[in-house]
Amino acid sequence: MKKKIKKNNLNLSCAKCSSPACVGSGPLARCEKHFLEDFDSHVRNAVREYHMIKPNEKVAVALSGGKDSTVMLHQLVQLSKRLPMRLIAILVDEGIADYRAPTIAVAKKECKKLRVPLHIVSFKSEFGLSLDSMLKKKGQAGACSFCGVFRRQLLQKAARRLKADKLALGHNLDDAAQTVLLNLYRNEPARLARFWPITESEDKKQHFVPRIRPLIRCSEKEVALWAALNSVPIHYGACPYAVEAMRQTVRAQLNQMEDRYPGTKVRIFNAFVKMRKGLVKAVEAGFSSSLSVCPQCGEISSGGFCGACRMLEKLKSGKK
Ligand code: SF4
């Protein structure tokens, strides 16, 4: 009889072959071989199911050097052997002292190894201020939402400049399940309706590079395990501003539920997929769920001036 591995005081074996499991439990328990096979097929199936990439498209990978985006880069390089695509990577340097430099080093090394051209863009050169300087002026409350607005815009601009057909984001299943719950907790149906494994703009005046999420079917734990099993060097240092309180609470809740009721995150995402069509219709009947264009800078906005222009205006005026 094969030796079973111990995990959380439970003897677990792979639900597919009964070898010792390295991840999951019950029907979701997997040995190393089946875990790796499943992981690859989750990515392939997500790309195919949501028509994320057409043959020969230029795909810009939003690379931070963290585990999700680095694993995504490896997965897309692997996938490009079956589905031809031209890969490039874009790294946004927000300007966070003692944090970003090591992840840039990881990104450079991995891109060199995988022969993917890397383009580095920065808040400082694009908006005139690093994130550190912005937060000195505005204070650190809500730092992640603030940073996210500028980062999204900069990735979009860089992808457009580099003539990418798609912009690939390293959002995993945990991020997706958290996003669904967060938007419900915050009563943001229009924002939730805009969320999807592939995001496009209906505004034809602006060339919006569609965002794709190839890891949407892989949990955070699985991404970390894939990285470890494939010796992908990951920088695990934490950003000093990473304190988005509500997301962290939802994350902890979801992890607790997943431990107790395995498959919770997948079920939340699947329920959202089923409801989304109806949600979009309902939202459109009341107000627009599509993206529009900022009258000031011409970038994507959810209506009126975009978040980056509003925030830059506040920074200039010294308001918090
Ligand atoms: Fe920006 Fe927050 Fe990520 Fe830090 S943790 S890089 S502040 S989004």
Side-chain angles (χ1 to χ4, degrees), residues 132-183:
D132 284 341
S133 315
M134 289 179 181
L135 296 180
K136 252 183 219 148
K137 286 183 175 227
K138 89 159 247 321
Q140 289 185 16
C144 287
S145 316
F146 192 79
C147 169
V149 166
F150 289 105
R151 189 145 43 91
R152 274 192 297 278
Q153 190 176 104
L154 190 41
L155 280 170
Q156 186 58 223
K157 275 186 180 174
R160 196 182 315 128
R161 263 184 230 142
L162 293 162
K163 301 196 184 328
D165 298 299
K166 298 285 162 56
L167 173 61
L169 307 176
H171 292 162
N172 58 41
L173 177 66
D174 290 50
D175 298 319
Q178 287 162 19
T179 299
V180 172
L181 290 190
L182 271 169
N183 282 303

Side-chain angles (χ1 to χ4, degrees), residues 94 96 131 144 147 151 239 241-242:
E94 303 89 347
I96 305 172
L131 185 66
C144 287
C147 169
R151 189 145 43 91
C239 169
Y241 307 122

Side-chain angles (χ1 to χ4, degrees), residues 160-295:
R160 196 182 315 128
R161 263 184 230 142
L162 293 162
K163 301 196 184 328
D165 298 299
K166 298 285 162 56
L167 173 61
L169 307 176
H171 292 162
N172 58 41
L173 177 66
D174 290 50
D175 298 319
Q178 287 162 19
T179 299
V180 172
L181 290 190
L182 271 169
N183 282 303
L184 292 177
Y185 286 156
R186 289 173 174 155
N187 185 20
E188 297 264 23
R191 195 177 277 261
L192 182 55
R194 280 199 295 273
F195 178 68
W196 198 234
I198 174 162
T199 321
E200 299 180 75
S201 168
E202 285 161 22
D203 196 320
K204 302 293 175 214
K205 280 183 278 174
Q206 176 75 349
H207 174 56
F208 177 75
V209 182
R211 294 184 293 229
I212 58 172
R213 297 169 169 88
L215 298 187
I216 201 91
R217 290 278 179 193
C218 308
S219 73
E220 192 174 341
K221 223 185 214 174
E222 290 165 343
V223 174
L225 183 59
W226 194 93
L229 292 174
N230 288 282
S231 309
V232 174
I234 302 293
H235 175 72
Y236 286 98
C239 169
Y241 307 122
V243 281
E244 202 194 330
M246 200 163 176
R247 187 173 280 271
Q248 293 308 334
T249 309
V250 171
R251 183 174 192 241
Q253 282 178 342
L254 269 171
N255 285 342
Q256 221 178 10
M257 287 293 288
E258 183 73 36
D259 282 347
R260 214 161 158 179
Y261 308 105
T264 294
K265 293 169 189 172
V266 175
R267 285 193 294 276
I268 289 177
F269 181 67
N270 287 346
F272 165 67
V273 168
K274 284 183 196 149
M275 292 186 306
R276 200 238 181 189
K277 217 173 180 181
L279 176 65
V280 169
K281 266 191 196 159
V283 166
E284 277 172 356
F287 48 100
S288 172
S289 70
S290 64
L291 298 168
S292 63
V293 171
C294 170

